[in-house]
């Protein structure tokens, strides 16, 4: 088995090494090992305290959050179980008991 990384742009497994560069034959993207590490670090989502979050974690809200389009508020200390990390404006998809499906930003939660 080859220990070459998959392409950071398209995810192809058919990469090859050309000197100090990794090259993807499918999308023609080139990157270095440092770029690979930077991309891996950038993909990590951290909570308000700097702890790395993962799918399935339980988080606690650290600030009262107004719900758009409603007069309801998510209170401090509310727990969201079994979170799912997503890309986009909001980092976390979850369900909160009594409220339903929510999208949260990781800066307003801490790992429980």
């Amino acid at each position: 088995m080859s220990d070459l990384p998959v392409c950071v742009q398209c995810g192809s497994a058919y990469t090859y090494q050309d000197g100090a560069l990794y090259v993807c034959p499918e999308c023609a993207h080139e990157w270095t090992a440092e770029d690979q590490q930077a991309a891996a670090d950038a993909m990590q989502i951290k909570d308000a305290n700097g702890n790395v979050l993962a799918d399935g974690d339980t988080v606690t809200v650290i600030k009262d959050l107004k719900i758009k389009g409603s007069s309801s508020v998510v209170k401090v200390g509310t727990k969201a179980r079994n979170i799912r990390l997503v890309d986009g404006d909001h980092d976390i998809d979850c369900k909160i008991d009594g409220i339903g499906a929510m999208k949260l930003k990781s800066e307003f939660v801490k790992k429980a």
Side-chain angles (χ1 to χ4, degrees):
M1 286 300 284
S2 173
D3 59 345
L4 293 174
V6 296
C7 178
V8 295
Q9 189 165 6
C10 71
S12 172
Y14 301 112
T15 58
Y16 62 91
Q17 192 168 4
D18 185 21
L21 292 176
Y22 294 111
V23 181
C24 176
E26 292 184 5
C27 69
H29 181 69
E30 298 179 348
W31 71 98
T32 63
E34 291 82 26
D35 295 340
Q36 181 83 22
Q37 185 61 37
D41 291 343
M43 290 175 50
Q44 289 183 344
I45 297 176
K46 297 182 180 182
D47 69 356
N49 296 332
N51 298 319
V52 177
L53 296 174
D55 286 343
D57 283 345
T58 299
V59 295
T60 305
V61 176
I62 62 168
K63 177 182 175 184
D64 283 348
L65 302 173
K66 294 180 184 178
I67 300 174
K68 244 184 195 179
S70 174
S71 61
S72 300
V73 175
V74 178
K75 297 284 188 178
V76 172
T78 303
K79 289 194 176 192
R81 292 175 177 78
N82 198 17
I83 66 170
R84 187 169 54 105
L85 302 178
V86 294
D87 289 333
D89 185 29
H90 293 76
D91 304 313
I92 301 170
D93 278 347
C94 62
K95 285 187 181 177
I96 297 178
D97 294 337
I99 296 174
M102 294 284 300
K103 293 184 179 226
L104 301 173
K105 291 188 176 183
S106 59
E107 61 198 54
F108 299 120
V109 299
K110 69 177 180 178
K111 195 170 186 177

